[in-house]
């Protein structure tokens, strides 16, 4: 049992939970430190706590960071990325899913509900059926969600109807929460562009909480730089999800990613071209990438 699955909220009197949380936070801090990316979680106890609450989502983020380091040389050459190296992009990868711990602000019942709904499903879950998106309530029923009554009550108090809200729509809100959380830490070892890149990892799903102006990308160097790294992170996020949570092989994951890019007809052509270049680099890095997915790659 991990501390985030225990019923008590942080601060409640629960020695087992407190011990598990301390151990989880120490593990998170050690793993981030071992990446050597300039992210000192001792300076950011809230970020450390939230990352520890993500469970396997944090491990996915570490995998993304390592994929970026492995492929950065080719990516830099292909996309003309900044000279400072992969560390900023790796910091963004490590932090990009922190919103899955809940929105910014004081811990409460809604945070508990969010973490329950982001617990990796015990079995595969297709969020769509008969041409429509399944609701939060349908997800909870299919997954036999623990503490369902408590979760639904917290959602309803926050204006979310579990019977009507699509599960995929609820999940996608985490990008907005990531931006809100990280914004409060900008300037404390996290530059604003790292925050914007981390929060923009669902650009392909029209989630743009940092308000990046796609139309300005070809003309404004700073916007283009942030967008290039945001696109890179978005592509790696999709690829990693297809491989890890989707169980797809290398070629199949890339085919799915390419299909998403092709279907986004509203993307400016320069940005579409950047996505295609990222896919090409991933395609040429099969052997290096397969080491992260050895258990799922035949």
């Amino acid at each position: 049992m991990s501390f985030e699955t225990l019923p008590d909220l942080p601060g409640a009197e629960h020695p087992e939970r407190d011990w598990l949380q301390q151990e989880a936070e120490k593990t998170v801090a050690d793993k981030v430190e071992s990446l050597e990316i300039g992210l000192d979680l001792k300076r950011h106890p809230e970020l450390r706590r939230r990352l520890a609450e993500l469970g396997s989502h944090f491990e996915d983020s570490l995998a993304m960071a390592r994929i970026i380091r492995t492929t950065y040389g080719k990516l830099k050459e292909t996309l003309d990325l900044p000279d400072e190296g992969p560390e900023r992009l790796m910091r963004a990868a490590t932090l990009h899913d922190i919103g899955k711990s809940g929105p910014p602000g004081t811990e409460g019942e809604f945070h508990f509900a969010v973490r329950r709904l982001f617990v990796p499903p015990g079995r595969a879950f297709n969020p769509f059926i008969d041409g429509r998106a399944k609701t939060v309530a349908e997800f909870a029923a299919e997954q036999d969600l623990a503490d369902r009554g408590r979760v639904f009550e917290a959602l309803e108090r926050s204006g979310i109807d579990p019977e009507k809200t699509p599960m995929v729509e609820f999940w996608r809100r985490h990008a907005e929460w990531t931006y809100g959380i990280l914004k409060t830490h900008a300037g404390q070892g996290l530059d604003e562009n790292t925050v914007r890149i981390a929060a923009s990892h669902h650009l392909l799903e029209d989630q743009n909480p940092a308000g990046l102006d796609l139309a300005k990308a070809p003309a404004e160097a700073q916007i283009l730089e942030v967008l290039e790294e945001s696109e890179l992170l978005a592509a790696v996020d999709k690829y990693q999800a297809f491989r890890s949570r989707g169980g797809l092989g290398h070629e199949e994951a890339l085919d799915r990613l390419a299909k998403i890019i092709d279907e986004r007809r509203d993307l400016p052509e320069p940005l579409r071209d950047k996505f295609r270049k990222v896919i090409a680099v991933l395609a040429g890095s099969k052997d290096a990438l397969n080491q992260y997915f050895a258990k799922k790659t035949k």
Side-chain angles (χ1 to χ4, degrees):
M1 175 178 288
S2 59
F3 82 91
E4 69 270 13
T5 62
L6 290 170
D8 302 86
L9 292 171
E13 191 171 333
H14 198 309
E16 181 185 4
R17 187 188 198 291
D18 292 344
W19 182 83
L20 287 169
Q21 180 169 350
Q22 290 171 11
E23 290 299 301
E25 290 191 25
K26 182 180 183 303
T27 297
V28 161
D30 289 346
K31 288 183 176 182
V32 171
E33 184 178 4
S34 72
L35 290 177
E36 298 182 341
I37 56 175
L39 179 58
D40 183 4
L41 291 180
K42 295 184 180 69
R43 299 178 61 186
H44 302 285
E46 181 187 356
L47 300 187
R48 184 180 66 236
R49 173 183 63 80
R50 285 179 175 270
L51 289 174
E53 290 166 348
L54 299 183
S56 67
H57 295 294
F58 171 68
E59 297 299 328
D60 289 344
S61 297
L62 293 182
M64 285 175 57
R66 293 176 182 126
I67 288 171
I68 288 166
R69 172 168 280 158
T70 297
T71 58
Y72 191 79
K74 292 180 181 178
L75 290 166
K76 183 179 183 301
E77 180 180 333
T78 302
L79 298 178
D80 193 26
L81 295 173
D83 289 331
E84 67 257 25
E87 287 78 17
R88 180 174 73 177
L89 195 49
M90 290 175 70
R91 288 194 294 273
T94 301
L95 296 168
H96 81 287
D97 266 350
I98 200 166
K100 290 180 178 179
S101 65
T106 305
E107 175 76 14
E109 284 289 304
F110 186 70
H111 294 78
F112 174 87
V114 169
R115 291 196 293 272
R116 275 289 188 266
L117 291 169
F118 273 107
V119 170
R123 53 186 180 275
F125 175 76
N126 183 350
F128 301 96
I129 184 172
D130 298 330
R132 69 168 179 84
K134 294 178 185 176
T135 65
V136 173
E138 287 173 317
F139 168 82
E142 286 190 30
Q143 298 299 317
D144 193 21
L145 189 74
D147 303 297
R148 193 179 316 177
R150 181 179 172 186
V151 167
F152 284 7
E153 183 178 343
L155 294 180
E156 289 164 355
R157 283 202 302 268
S158 297
I160 297 172
D161 186 343
E163 300 292 342
K164 296 180 180 179
T165 302
M167 191 66 231
V168 68
E169 178 184 304
F170 179 84
W171 277 333
R172 286 174 181 168
R173 293 184 65 181
H174 79 273
E176 171 192 339
W177 297 334
T178 287
Y179 186 55
I181 293 164
L182 296 183
K183 264 201 317 183
T184 65
H185 293 270
Q188 304 174 47
L190 285 176
D191 66 272
E192 180 62 27
N193 282 343
T194 300
V195 173
R196 296 164 82 188
I197 293 164
S200 303
H201 66 282
H202 278 303
L203 278 176
L204 290 171
E205 288 85 13
D206 293 317
Q207 301 298 304
N208 187 13
L212 300 181
D213 191 339
L214 304 188
K216 291 183 179 179
E220 296 189 10
Q222 185 183 31
I223 293 294
L224 179 58
E225 180 181 315
V226 171
L227 269 172
E228 283 181 330
E229 296 197 44
S230 298
E231 290 164 348
L232 199 164
L233 189 64
V236 172
D237 178 57
K238 278 292 182 189
Y239 174 83
Q240 197 278 336
F242 287 146
R243 297 290 312 262
S244 181
R245 294 192 292 277
L248 303 184
H250 178 73
E251 288 83 4
E252 192 176 1
L254 290 176
D255 287 345
R256 289 280 295 276
L257 181 54
K259 183 178 179 182
I260 290 173
I261 302 304
D262 289 340
E263 290 177 348
R264 280 293 305 272
R265 306 315 306 170
D266 58 324
L267 280 178
E269 194 57 35
L271 302 187
R272 188 188 309 280
D273 183 58
K274 297 289 186 182
F275 272 119
R276 288 171 177 158
K277 288 180 178 178
V278 173
I279 293 173
V281 171
L282 293 175
S285 305
K286 178 178 179 178
D287 291 342
L289 292 172
N290 276 345
Q291 66 178 302
Y292 297 112
F293 306 98
K295 293 182 180 179
K296 296 183 180 181
T297 304
K298 294 182 180 180

